Amino acid sequence: MAQLLLTTIINERFLNLDVSQYASSVSAIHQHLEDAENEPIGWLNGPLTMDEEYINSLLMVSDEIKKRADVLVVIGVGGSYLGAKAVQEALSPYFKHHENGIDVVYVGFNLSGAYMNQLIESLHDKDFYINVISKSGSTMESSLAFRVLRQYSEERYKEGAKNRIIVTTDPEKSLLKEIADNQGYRKFDIPTNIGGRYSLLTSVGLLPISVAGINIYELIEGAKKAAIDLKDRSPEKNEAYRYAIIRHALYAQGYRIELLASFEPALSYIHEWWKQLFGESEGKNKKGLFPASVNYSTDLHSLGQFVQDGSPLLFETFLHFKEVTDDYYIPYKTINDDYLNFISNRTFNEINSISKQGTVLAHAEGGVPIIQIEVERLDAFHVGYLIYFFMKACAMSAYLLDVYPFDQPGVEAYKKKITQLLIEESIAH
Ligand SMILES: O=P(O)(O)OC[C@H]1O[C@](O)(CO)[C@@H](O)[C@@H]1O
């Protein structure tokens, strides 16, 4: 069977890379991950051990929401919303919701009063459910949004509000869990041994994704296949490890920014999810690649100039799905006043693919190291595969840098400052 995902480096001259030279360090890290019972690596075998009963319980709630609501409001920030949003955007039509789903909207990932006000206004003539997602159960953005939406739901549905609130949180230590228990809200667990940014393939992602109309069985099947394919410790046979090695080698050569580039706008939130995954996992102890992203061809007309010609800080990783089902023909015109007949009767996706090839060639000639990640098809199965691929590559990549991939101590610094300012301001108020 052909490989479902391939990582290649275009301009080998940057690397002279023999991935086998990393075989022993990769093997040691691989073993560490296999043995690390006390680390938050529940995601590593998660897709392989997910039981039918668990998926069915998610699907039952998802069906109820689809029947009884026009909108699901998902409250969460970081790993508690990016994955669901990423998969939903990647696999839904552009201008309407998926035919098997309802609208899923997100809140609690910013502190904008305008966003909150307009969200509430948009709900006035709609029936809605709330899924509040927080591993810690006390993140400021999501807690504030939950306070507002809970109150609004109680005003609208009175006692019935209880049944329209689903809580997804840590089963042991979480303020949100206490609230849910006290109020009798239904709960889904985020396994204690899975951190926020590795939690997409748990109830965190699966419930909203299913309500959005996407087949979560296919998503999980893709992740399962990846979990099997990417079990090999040898970098020659493991695409996730190969990707981790290439980016590590480029880091060692002085590159400091990895730019994830796609040519399909639906992938822009996959970029955002990937940024959190790699940014929070690796950016520690004054080390790590800064994960940035571009949406082409849009950004060829803004950041493209810098990529081609600017400070040589970055390398590019092109994420490419070979098959995107929907497409549109460019018409032939008898009056060729825009001189575009030479590309008529071809499709937009064909032109998009040629643009991608041209961009890769130009940027490579401009001296930018280029990695390509090629995936067969843009569907739930292959997106599930890709998600798992990135998570495994990320853990390997961080350990190659000698950085612990599963905490985010740096995030606490700004949180403390904000809390301190809020307390000072409230006293003065
Ligand atoms: O799920 P929680 O606990 O609300 O956290 C949301 C996000 O906030 C962070 O802790 C960073 O602030 C992320 O690691 C996490 O995904």
Side-chain angles (χ1 to χ4, degrees):
M1 184 183 178
Q3 296 251 37
L4 292 181
L5 183 151
L6 278 177
T7 320
T8 47
I9 178 126
I10 302 289
N11 25 19
E12 298 269 356
R13 74 185 167 92
F14 281 102
L15 285 173
N16 281 331
L17 185 66
D18 172 12
V19 288
S20 63
Q21 79 195 52
Y22 287 85
S24 68
S25 35
V26 165
S27 171
I29 297 168
H30 175 89
Q31 198 56 48
H32 174 75
L33 282 169
E34 293 284 302
D35 297 342
E37 278 168 22
N38 297 325
E39 287 196 7
I41 47 160
W43 54 273
L44 201 59
N45 288 319
L48 298 172
T49 52
M50 206 174 284
D51 68 49
E52 195 83 3
E53 208 180 308
Y54 173 70
I55 302 174
N56 284 341
S57 66
L58 285 169
L59 288 175
M60 264 170 63
V61 176
S62 162
D63 284 346
E64 174 189 321
I65 298 173
K66 287 193 263 184
K67 266 191 214 111
R68 300 192 57 215
D70 307 304
V71 186
L72 172 67
V73 182
V74 174
I75 302 174
V77 64
S80 291
Y81 96 104
L82 281 169
K85 172 106 173 146
V87 175
Q88 181 190 346
E89 297 259 315
L91 298 173
S92 301
Y94 279 109
F95 299 105
K96 54 182 183 179
H97 62 68
H98 201 288
E99 59 182 3
N100 300 323
I102 60 169
D103 281 333
V104 177
V105 300
Y106 297 83
V107 65
F109 58 92
N110 61 47
L111 292 166
S112 160
Y115 189 97
M116 180 57 83
N117 192 36
Q118 289 168 37
L119 170 73
I120 298 284
E121 268 176 16
S122 78
L123 294 174
H124 286 338
D125 55 354
K126 292 184 183 132
D127 276 315
F128 67 95
Y129 265 57
I130 296 169
N131 181 199
V132 54
I133 308 174
S134 175
K135 170 93 176 160
S136 64
S138 53
T139 303
M140 185 171 64
E141 287 90 337
S142 43
S143 301
L144 281 177
F146 185 42
R147 171 182 268 242
V148 171
L149 277 141
R150 185 150 63 123
Q151 179 163 325
Y152 178 63
S153 179
E154 284 161 0
E155 279 162 23
R156 284 273 305 272
Y157 297 109
K158 312 287 181 273
E159 265 303 294
K162 267 192 184 20
N163 206 42
R164 289 176 172 265
I165 295 173
I166 317 288
V167 169
T168 307
T169 192
D170 189 279
E172 286 162 21
K173 34 183 189 346
S174 149
L175 180 61
L176 194 53
K177 175 197 167 334
E178 279 175 39
I179 296 176
D181 289 343
N182 291 338
Q183 297 296 323
Y185 301 144
R186 274 174 289 176
K187 274 189 321 237
F188 283 106
D189 292 345
I190 308 175
T192 310
N193 64 352
I194 300 185
R197 58 188 175 273
Y198 294 84
S199 68
L200 197 166
L201 297 164
T202 71
S203 51
V204 170
L206 296 176
L207 181 61
I209 289 168
S210 163
V211 175
I214 291 147
N215 187 326
I216 57 170
Y217 274 114
E218 285 176 17
L219 191 77
I220 296 164
E221 279 308 310
K224 259 189 201 164
K225 173 85 174 99
I228 294 164
D229 286 359
L230 304 175
K231 253 196 182 307
D232 207 302
R233 68 178 63 225
S234 143
E236 285 97 346
K237 295 192 193 134
N238 187 321
E239 289 297 314
Y241 292 170
R242 187 172 152 72
Y243 171 52
I245 290 171
I246 296 173
R247 58 197 301 287
H248 181 75
L250 287 165
Y251 178 77
Q253 289 191 16
Y255 292 96
R256 288 293 174 266
I257 298 170
E258 178 177 12
L259 200 55
L260 188 65
S262 305
F263 273 77
E264 188 63 47
L267 300 177
S268 68
Y269 266 88
I270 296 274
H271 295 175
E272 299 306 315
W273 170 82
W274 170 90
K275 281 184 201 168
Q276 188 209 2
L277 179 67
F278 281 85
E280 279 193 351
S281 298
E282 281 192 332
K284 287 162 209 169
N285 312 334
K286 309 293 173 220
K287 296 190 213 174
L289 284 162
F290 183 80
S293 67
V294 279
N295 301 303
Y296 291 153
S297 68
T298 313
D299 289 331
L300 287 175
H301 303 271
S302 65
L303 292 171
Q305 168 63 38
F306 191 104
V307 178
Q308 183 76 42
D309 243 358
S311 309
L313 305 166
L314 55 86
F315 66 90
E316 253 178 325
T317 298
F318 281 84
L319 172 61
H320 181 56
F321 284 82
K322 291 198 248 174
E323 205 183 309
V324 179
T325 38
D326 211 4
D327 206 351
Y328 202 86
Y329 268 99
I330 295 161
Y332 178 83
K333 282 187 83 206
T334 33
I335 301 172
N336 187 24
D337 53 1
D338 54 7
Y339 305 104
L340 288 174
N341 270 353
F342 77 105
I343 45 172
S344 65
N345 294 326
R346 308 199 66 167
T347 72
F348 269 82
N349 286 349
E350 283 169 21
I351 309 290
N352 205 14
S353 178
I354 294 167
S355 304
K356 191 210 128 214
Q357 286 170 35
T359 307
V360 166
L361 288 175
H363 290 182
E365 272 174 34
V368 183
I370 288 173
I371 299 174
Q372 286 210 104
I373 297 173
E374 297 213 61
V375 193
E376 277 306 308
R377 196 171 315 115
L378 186 51
D379 61 16
F381 180 86
H382 290 86
V383 168
Y385 196 101
L386 179 75
I387 298 293
Y388 187 91
F389 161 86
F390 274 140
M391 293 197 298
K392 189 135 194 197
C394 183
M396 174 55 69
S397 212
Y399 275 124
L400 281 171
L401 265 186
D402 201 16
V403 158
Y404 182 65
F406 307 120
D407 63 1
Q408 55 285 330
V411 175
E412 296 313 311
Y414 87 86
K415 284 189 185 167
K416 278 192 196 127
K417 290 278 181 225
I418 295 181
T419 311
Q420 194 185 330
L421 284 175
L422 282 171
I423 293 170
E424 285 167 15
E425 293 271 319
S426 315
I427 293 168
H429 202 65

